[in-house]
Amino acid sequence: MRLLTIAKPAAAILGRRWQSTVQSTLTQPWLQQWFPTGITFAMAYGSGVFKQVGHVRNQNTMVDLIFAVEDPITWHEANIRANPTHYSGLASLGVEAVVKVHNLGAAKLYYNPYVTVDGMLIKYGVMSASDLLQDLDEWSSLYTSGRLHKPVHVITATDACKQAMEHNLKSAFTTACLLCPEHFDETQLFEAIASLSYSGDPRMVVGESKGKVASIVQGSFQGFRDLYSPYYDLTLNKHARNEYVTLDNVKKLPSNLLNQLRDAGWDATTIPSESVVRTALQAIVKQSAVTQSIKGVLTAGPVRAAVYAKEKLMKTFA
């Protein structure tokens, strides 16, 4: 019993040290050293950067990143020259083939996984700056915007992106309140927020660990509070949904979500039900998640894609 009491805080200290080390490494000078210029936004996210309860890091744990660039064609062309080993055989067909795959699907992301940079195993996705802003404002795919609902490490961002990120957080708060019971606490709120971008994602059935949403919230509870406390009263233990949800602020939700709500049966004269909101979210997420999974086979190559699939299956049945 004494050993268990000592081991838990020791593990927590190691987790905090790793998080601090990764975040202090991933800076703008680091980007400039290892990647071509033109990155206007960069973030690191996920279990490689933030603690998730039940997740144990090992040498195969990747640090996930997303970059936004002004001109994907120019950037990929420069990156293929500078970092040719980051790409699968698809790059041998030329930058046009890379960009064609890049633009497939609603998320419009091109991932290079299992890349070692500066001694760190990473997976980085590249998207255009305009597509990033569109997803933050409209929830066109809820792929990158959904990751930004959770605590992330922002390496660099333009003022326009920071403003869109604030709008994205407010939209996530309002939408999550629609999914919460009539009275809810912080944990219920944060789990509803964390679940938004997983609604309809097939990987939550096969490919992710059971209880992923709860583990994300438990591991980054203070981070969620820092992001969302401007939108609710911290002094209250319980919150009334009708204090935060009105028809007026529902109508201010991202345009793609509003379109999907209407398709799911919302008449725009009442506050949509939880089931209608979930149906609308699932319609957005499923399309982008399926396409990105298919694209992953092309952008990773068969060997790296097989390794990635194996790791996801291990998470599912762990």
Side-chain angles (χ1 to χ4, degrees), residues 179-191:
L179 300 178
C180 285
E182 186 176 349
H183 294 89
F184 57 89
D185 59 24
E186 281 185 299
T187 298
Q188 289 171 304
L189 171 65
F190 297 160
E191 288 187 357

Side-chain angles (χ1 to χ4, degrees), residues 171-180 188-190 192-194 196:
S171 298
F173 175 80
T174 301
T175 306
C177 287
L178 290 168
L179 300 178
C180 285
Q188 289 171 304
L189 171 65
F190 297 160
I193 290 169
L196 296 178

Side-chain angles (χ1 to χ4, degrees), residues 15-296:
R16 288 195 297 271
R17 284 177 181 169
W18 168 256
Q19 180 174 325
S20 176
T21 299
V22 170
Q23 293 188 12
S24 63
T25 299
L26 299 175
T27 61
Q28 197 160 3
W30 180 86
L31 284 178
Q32 294 167 346
Q33 179 180 359
W34 297 102
F35 295 97
T37 59
I39 298 174
T40 61
F41 169 83
M43 72 168 179
Y45 65 96
S47 60
V49 186
F50 293 91
K51 179 184 176 183
Q52 291 185 13
V53 173
H55 175 80
V56 179
R57 282 195 53 83
N58 58 53
Q59 69 272 19
N60 295 319
T61 302
M62 285 188 294
V63 172
D64 295 337
L65 300 107
I66 289 178
F67 305 154
V69 300
E70 287 295 341
D71 184 349
I73 295 177
T74 301
W75 195 89
H76 278 299
E77 194 169 33
N79 197 42
I80 290 170
R81 288 197 303 268
N83 299 303
T85 59
H86 292 190
Y87 289 80
S88 68
L90 185 66
S92 65
L93 301 177
V95 69
E96 294 82 5
V98 169
V99 173
K100 186 172 183 179
V101 173
H102 173 128
N103 287 326
L104 290 175
K108 292 183 170 58
L109 267 162
Y110 187 104
Y111 272 103
N112 284 324
Y114 293 100
V115 171
T116 300
V117 174
D118 197 21
M120 185 183 302
L121 186 65
I122 69 170
K123 176 184 75 175
Y124 65 95
V126 183
M127 68 188 308
S128 77
S130 59
D131 287 333
L132 170 62
L133 291 177
Q134 183 180 24
D135 193 28
L136 290 170
D137 287 333
E138 301 177 12
W139 287 8
S140 52
S141 71
L142 259 180
Y143 200 92
T144 304
S145 59
R147 280 144 184 78
L148 280 159
H149 292 164
K150 309 166 190 70
V152 302
H153 172 56
V154 176
I155 302 169
T156 187
T158 62
D159 288 343
C161 187
K162 290 175 184 177
Q163 185 177 354
M165 288 162 62
E166 287 292 333
H167 174 69
N168 182 49
L169 290 177
K170 177 61 175 174
S171 298
F173 175 80
T174 301
T175 306
C177 287
L178 290 168
L179 300 178
C180 285
E182 186 176 349
H183 294 89
F184 57 89
D185 59 24
E186 281 185 299
T187 298
Q188 289 171 304
L189 171 65
F190 297 160
E191 288 187 357
I193 290 169
S195 72
L196 296 178
S197 61
Y198 293 126
S199 300
D201 189 337
R203 294 172 301 176
M204 294 304 290
V205 179
V206 178
E208 291 294 352
S209 58
K210 303 293 188 295
K212 181 179 178 67
V213 168
S215 70
I216 290 172
V217 172
Q218 291 171 31
S220 296
F221 194 89
Q222 186 58 50
F224 277 94
R225 179 177 281 174
D226 292 341
L227 287 175
Y228 292 100
S229 59
Y231 307 124
Y232 65 91
D233 188 346
L234 273 172
T235 65
L236 299 176
N237 292 324
K238 284 286 186 178
H239 304 273
R241 185 179 57 202
N242 60 12
E243 291 184 13
Y244 304 112
V245 177
T246 65
L247 185 58
D248 182 58
N249 58 26
V250 168
K251 289 182 177 180
K252 294 177 182 176
L253 288 172
S255 58
N256 191 33
L257 178 59
L258 291 176
N259 289 337
Q260 295 297 336
L261 286 171
R262 295 185 187 99
D263 288 347
W266 178 53
D267 63 7
T269 64
T270 59
I271 293 174
S273 67
E274 177 188 348
S275 62
V276 167
V277 175
R278 290 194 185 281
T279 299
L281 289 168
Q282 288 167 4
I284 298 172
V285 173
K286 184 177 181 179
Q287 181 182 11
S288 59
V290 170
T291 306
Q292 280 300 131
S293 296
I294 295 170
K295 285 169 64 174

